[in-house]
Amino acid sequence: MTDSTATVRVELAERSYDILIGAGLLDRVTEFVDARGGARHVAVVTDTNVDGLYGDAVADRFVDAGVEAHVLVVDAGETSKSPDVAADLWQTMVDEGCDRQTVVVAVGGGVVGDIAGFIAATFARGLTFFQFPTTLLAQVDSSVGGKTGVNLEGAKNMVGAFWQPRGVLVDTDVLSTLPDREFRAGLAEVVKYGVILDADFFGWLEASADAIVARDAGALRRVIQRSCQLKAQIVQLDETEQTGARAKLNYGHTFGHALEAATGYEQLLHGEAVSIGMVCASRMAELMGRITADETNRQLSLLRRFGLPVKLPRGIDLGELSSLMWRDKKVHDGEIRFVLPSRLGEVDLVPSPGDEQLMQSLRSAQA
Amino acid sequence: MTDSTATVRVELAERSYDILIGAGLLDRVTEFVDARGGARHVAVVTDTNVDGLYGDAVADRFVDAGVEAHVLVVDAGETSKSPDVAADLWQTMVDEGCDRQTVVVAVGGGVVGDIAGFIAATFARGLTFFQFPTTLLAQVDSSVGGKTGVNLEGAKNMVGAFWQPRGVLVDTDVLSTLPDREFRAGLAEVVKYGVILDADFFGWLEASADAIVARDAGALRRVIQRSCQLKAQIVQLDETEQTGARAKLNYGHTFGHALEAATGYEQLLHGEAVSIGMVCASRMAELMGRITADETNRQLSLLRRFGLPVKLPRGIDLGELSSLMWRDKKVHDGEIRFVLPSRLGEVDLVPSPGDEQLMQSLRSAQA
């Protein structure tokens, strides 16, 4: 445990904000909000898993500071990212007297951040919003960048808004209660940042894998800080996904999303699907002569050390995976564009090499 | 009928757009959209009243131009501004293959514009949006300024987004099919612009009332053009309702909203409630010594010539009206702020003079 904190600044003109990372920051949540405009009325959005651990505790900090705070609890899990749950939250907020001065604070993982951010973006046409992410995945990925939203039937994240938080507070201590499988799944996105943007960071992850898996506080702070810096770099170039820069963040995700869909969003965690997806994408890059087998194998080996799956689930239908990829919303003018490495630390957007090489990439990751 | 058109530019940095006003512009809808980025896939949102008149016709223009167009029809009336209807539209759009390249075109009055704009703001985190308003109220007010949204129980427009259209096309010919009562209700907002911002325009309305009521094309174009210019002036100062400038547009609306609520949103059209509300607000300004009786009487007389009500409905409970006003979401720090004239063409935000003068203002408008 250490008392030092790191700050990552996300520069987005008048929507710029800080991500503060360190141990024990839960205790400083009201101070953090006060330094950023303050709040007189707070709606804490959390889920049934996190409420008892941190949701209520965050609300209590505000109440202790004389701020009226309500706690809105959604069911844990992806099903809460729905228009129905959004409608329930909106109505509850009206009934509890929320107005345009209310500040929304998300306390939870990616699902909580996405639904709370969407509520913040739309209630009274936009409320001030803070993120207090409690999973590694949310700390390194979903709480940075302003994407919020809910799912429709057959279309994940199809409704939402770009809505930047006014600040993100990452307390590394909360990871102590995160189940091991969830923790490891978050590391998949961390590996991704190394592959797409920073070979040195990738090398540091290889060197520090044991400390990271042991959840050493200093190692975790560096993992989160560098991941947030790298994501912020991309988001700053392409806040609302117009230029293609942001698409680089989808390394492993075209394969990963298809895998999640093919397995009904239950068998694999998002990070696990991305882990397997990165292996497939890297193999595809090899087949196209973009990288060497060694560069795939380093990823594979690091993912394995992080306890992440690198093989497709047994019995999965490769033809179904392929057709799911063609239906992905990121298919552009009838062309799947893959994010593929040209070396560790650099990726490009590449048109699909064709179905034969796509199938071959999938086969290379078969169990 | 005239062939000339007027353009009002709304200057909002990279969100700037044109409002094109004139007769017969329906025929130029695809040309208008093409000049502003074009569309390959269009979702026309309209209602059961407007679909047969203009909704299908607009979609047909796109289809004739080789653009895939879907028509989404909501029930006419305020009940369509609901989270449920939004959820239905979102899912229908997914099912019909809409994606982030889809362009949303609203064809209808204020309800259609508000729900279509909210859909455009949120589907795939934001779609290009055009407005083709078919009521006078929408042409002079709701289609300008980027406010979109739906109602919650007990809270009108409580969910939404600021989402500017890429262009607004106002065909004055469509007013020929607008029922007389709807047409007159739209004129209430027109009178409002004169009172809050432009005494000369108010004078021109007095001089041109007969031509306006006869729906003379040239008079209508000037009514719409000047109203849009005045609204744009305000919106440019305060796009997202931060500075208070935009609050001036609420002249007559604090009283009006209470009247609509007290009569169950059925007895009075919005413009009718605003008409009565302006009389109440102007009487309050008189009681406070801000203006003379003559300045109220000129408004009253113009509203009457436009066939608008200037008296409270018989039997209405003044105490209920007063308490509804205290519950209005615009109540700020426990203080109702009224928009009150200091002369024709100028208004200020003024704290409530207290319940006695509030009741007296209401009594002055009793039938």
Side-chain angles (χ1 to χ4, degrees):
Chain A
M1 212 64 63
T2 162
D3 205 32
S4 61
T5 59
T7 301
V8 176
R9 179 79 177 165
V10 185
E11 292 287 355
L12 295 167
E14 73 276 14
R15 294 177 302 288
S16 299
Y17 58 96
D18 291 330
I19 305 166
L20 196 65
I21 305 152
L25 293 181
L26 170 65
D27 291 330
R28 286 156 62 183
V29 61
T30 58
E31 180 190 323
F32 184 74
V33 168
D34 279 346
R36 288 159 182 81
R40 288 183 303 177
H41 188 268
V42 165
V44 171
V45 180
T46 189
D47 72 19
T48 46
N49 284 344
V50 179
D51 182 29
L53 290 166
Y54 308 112
D56 255 353
V58 167
D60 286 348
R61 295 293 191 290
F62 284 103
V63 171
D64 290 348
V67 176
E68 190 179 339
H70 299 270
V71 182
L72 310 179
V73 185
V74 302
D75 288 340
E78 187 77 17
T79 52
S80 285
K81 280 179 59 176
S82 75
D84 282 353
V85 170
D88 283 348
L89 289 174
W90 286 327
Q91 191 62 52
T92 303
M93 286 176 73
V94 168
D95 298 344
E96 295 195 348
C98 295
D99 62 17
R100 61 184 67 180
Q101 269 79 45
T102 299
V103 170
V104 175
V105 181
V107 181
V111 166
V112 166
D114 283 2
I115 182 89
F118 181 57
I119 294 301
T122 51
F123 191 86
R125 297 197 187 91
L127 301 179
T128 299
F129 175 48
F130 288 91
Q131 292 252 31
F132 193 98
T134 61
T135 66
L136 182 61
L137 182 65
Q139 292 176 345
V140 298
D141 181 14
S142 54
S143 73
V144 183
K147 279 195 182 181
T148 72
V150 297
N151 303 326
L152 300 177
E153 279 168 46
K156 293 224 340 160
N157 297 315
M158 192 46 105
V159 166
F162 289 97
W163 194 251
Q164 301 294 344
R166 188 161 294 176
V168 180
L169 198 67
V170 177
D171 185 344
T172 50
D173 284 354
V174 305
L175 296 178
S176 65
T177 55
L178 190 66
D180 198 53
R181 190 178 165 198
E182 296 260 358
F183 176 77
R184 291 168 185 273
L187 290 173
E189 300 283 352
V190 174
V191 172
K192 179 194 79 178
Y193 291 122
V195 178
I196 67 174
L197 290 167
D198 188 344
D200 289 345
F201 182 53
F202 190 91
W204 178 83
L205 291 172
E206 291 177 314
S208 314
D210 293 341
I212 294 166
V213 171
R215 307 196 196 186
D216 171 81
L220 290 182
R221 195 175 63 242
R222 177 145 177 205
V223 159
I224 297 163
Q225 178 182 8
R226 188 66 190 144
S227 297
C228 289
Q229 281 170 344
L230 292 168
K231 179 148 185 189
Q233 274 179 23
I234 294 277
V235 169
Q236 286 162 190
L237 289 174
D238 185 19
E239 184 181 1
T240 58
E241 222 159 33
Q242 304 293 316
T243 71
R246 201 158 174 157
K248 289 186 179 178
L249 296 168
N250 287 321
Y251 177 56
H253 282 61
T254 302
F255 287 97
H257 285 151
L259 261 169
E260 287 183 272
T263 54
Y265 297 98
E266 294 195 339
Q267 191 178 338
L268 293 168
L269 297 178
H270 175 70
E272 293 169 339
V274 168
S275 176
I276 302 166
M278 290 192 287
V279 174
C280 295
S282 196
R283 290 292 180 211
M284 179 183 272
E286 268 181 60
L287 287 169
M288 296 172 77
R290 298 175 54 87
I291 57 166
T292 62
D294 178 60
E295 284 163 311
T296 306
N297 290 333
R298 281 180 68 189
Q299 295 172 61
L300 211 127
S301 159
L302 182 57
L303 293 167
R304 279 206 176 109
R305 287 179 71 193
F306 285 157
L308 284 161
V310 294
K311 295 279 182 195
L312 295 173
R314 269 172 212 287
I316 202 156
D317 181 335
L318 302 196
E320 190 196 348
L321 278 183
S322 161
S323 61
L324 281 164
M325 277 185 256
W326 284 102
R327 268 187 273 150
D328 191 284
K329 69 177 166 171
K330 288 180 191 76
V331 171
H332 204 42
D333 293 333
E335 180 84 84
I336 309 182
R337 293 187 307 166
F338 287 92
V339 180
L340 299 181
S342 51
R343 59 175 179 79
L344 282 181
E346 190 175 282
V347 288
D348 299 305
L349 276 176
V350 181
S352 166
D355 213 48
E356 181 43 46
Q357 296 205 13
L358 173 55
M359 292 303 282
Q360 216 176 321
S361 318
L362 289 169
R363 278 194 297 269
S364 72
Q366 272 184 307
Chain B
M1 208 67 63
T2 161
D3 204 31
S4 60
T5 58
T7 301
V8 175
R9 179 79 177 165
V10 185
E11 292 287 355
L12 294 166
E14 73 277 14
R15 294 175 303 287
S16 299
Y17 58 95
D18 292 329
I19 305 165
L20 195 64
I21 304 152
L25 292 181
L26 171 65
D27 291 330
R28 286 157 59 183
V29 62
T30 59
E31 180 191 321
F32 184 75
V33 169
D34 280 346
R36 287 161 183 81
R40 288 183 304 175
H41 189 268
V42 165
V44 172
V45 180
T46 188
D47 72 18
T48 46
N49 285 344
V50 178
D51 182 29
L53 291 167
Y54 307 112
D56 254 353
V58 166
D60 286 348
R61 295 294 192 288
F62 283 103
V63 171
D64 291 348
V67 175
E68 191 179 339
H70 298 269
V71 182
L72 310 179
V73 185
V74 301
D75 289 340
E78 187 77 16
T79 52
S80 284
K81 279 179 59 175
S82 76
D84 282 353
V85 170
D88 283 348
L89 290 174
W90 286 326
Q91 191 62 52
T92 304
M93 286 175 73
V94 168
D95 297 344
E96 294 194 348
C98 294
D99 62 18
R100 62 183 66 180
Q101 269 78 47
T102 299
V103 169
V104 175
V105 181
V107 182
V111 167
V112 166
D114 283 1
I115 180 89
F118 181 57
I119 294 300
T122 51
F123 191 86
R125 297 197 189 92
L127 301 179
T128 299
F129 175 47
F130 288 90
Q131 292 254 31
F132 193 99
T134 61
T135 66
L136 182 61
L137 182 65
Q139 291 176 345
V140 298
D141 182 13
S142 54
S143 73
V144 183
K147 278 194 182 182
T148 72
V150 298
N151 304 325
L152 299 178
E153 278 168 46
K156 291 215 358 150
N157 296 316
M158 192 46 103
V159 167
F162 289 98
W163 194 250
Q164 301 296 342
R166 187 160 295 175
V168 180
L169 197 67
V170 178
D171 185 344
T172 51
D173 284 353
V174 305
L175 296 178
S176 64
T177 55
L178 190 67
D180 197 55
R181 190 177 165 200
E182 296 262 356
F183 176 77
R184 291 169 186 274
L187 290 172
E189 299 284 352
V190 174
V191 172
K192 181 193 78 178
Y193 291 122
V195 177
I196 67 174
L197 290 168
D198 188 345
D200 289 346
F201 181 53
F202 189 91
W204 178 82
L205 290 172
E206 292 177 314
S208 314
D210 293 341
I212 293 166
V213 171
R215 306 196 196 185
D216 171 81
L220 290 181
R221 196 176 60 243
R222 178 146 178 204
V223 160
I224 297 164
Q225 178 181 9
R226 189 64 190 143
S227 297
C228 289
Q229 280 169 345
L230 292 167
K231 177 145 186 190
Q233 272 179 23
I234 293 278
V235 170
Q236 286 161 190
L237 289 174
D238 185 18
E239 183 181 1
T240 57
E241 223 159 34
Q242 304 293 318
T243 70
R246 201 159 174 156
K248 290 186 178 178
L249 295 168
N250 288 323
Y251 177 56
H253 282 61
T254 301
F255 288 97
H257 286 150
L259 262 169
E260 287 184 272
T263 54
Y265 297 98
E266 293 195 341
Q267 189 178 341
L268 293 167
L269 297 177
H270 175 69
E272 293 169 341
V274 168
S275 175
I276 301 165
M278 290 192 287
V279 173
C280 295
S282 196
R283 291 289 180 216
M284 179 182 274
E286 268 181 60
L287 288 169
M288 296 172 77
R290 298 175 54 87
I291 57 168
T292 63
D294 178 59
E295 285 164 310
T296 306
N297 290 333
R298 279 180 68 190
Q299 294 172 61
L300 211 129
S301 155
L302 181 58
L303 293 167
R304 280 207 177 106
R305 287 180 69 194
F306 285 156
L308 284 161
V310 293
K311 295 277 183 198
L312 294 173
R314 267 171 216 289
I316 202 154
D317 180 336
L318 302 196
E320 189 196 347
L321 278 183
S322 162
S323 61
L324 280 164
M325 276 185 260
W326 284 102
R327 267 188 273 150
D328 191 284
K329 68 176 165 172
K330 287 179 193 74
V331 171
H332 205 41
D333 293 330
E335 180 82 88
I336 308 183
R337 295 187 305 166
F338 286 93
V339 180
L340 299 182
S342 50
R343 59 174 179 79
L344 282 180
E346 191 175 282
V347 288
D348 299 306
L349 276 175
V350 181
S352 166
D355 213 48
E356 181 43 47
Q357 295 204 18
L358 172 55
M359 292 303 283
Q360 216 177 320
S361 318
L362 288 170
R363 279 194 296 269
S364 72
Q366 272 184 307

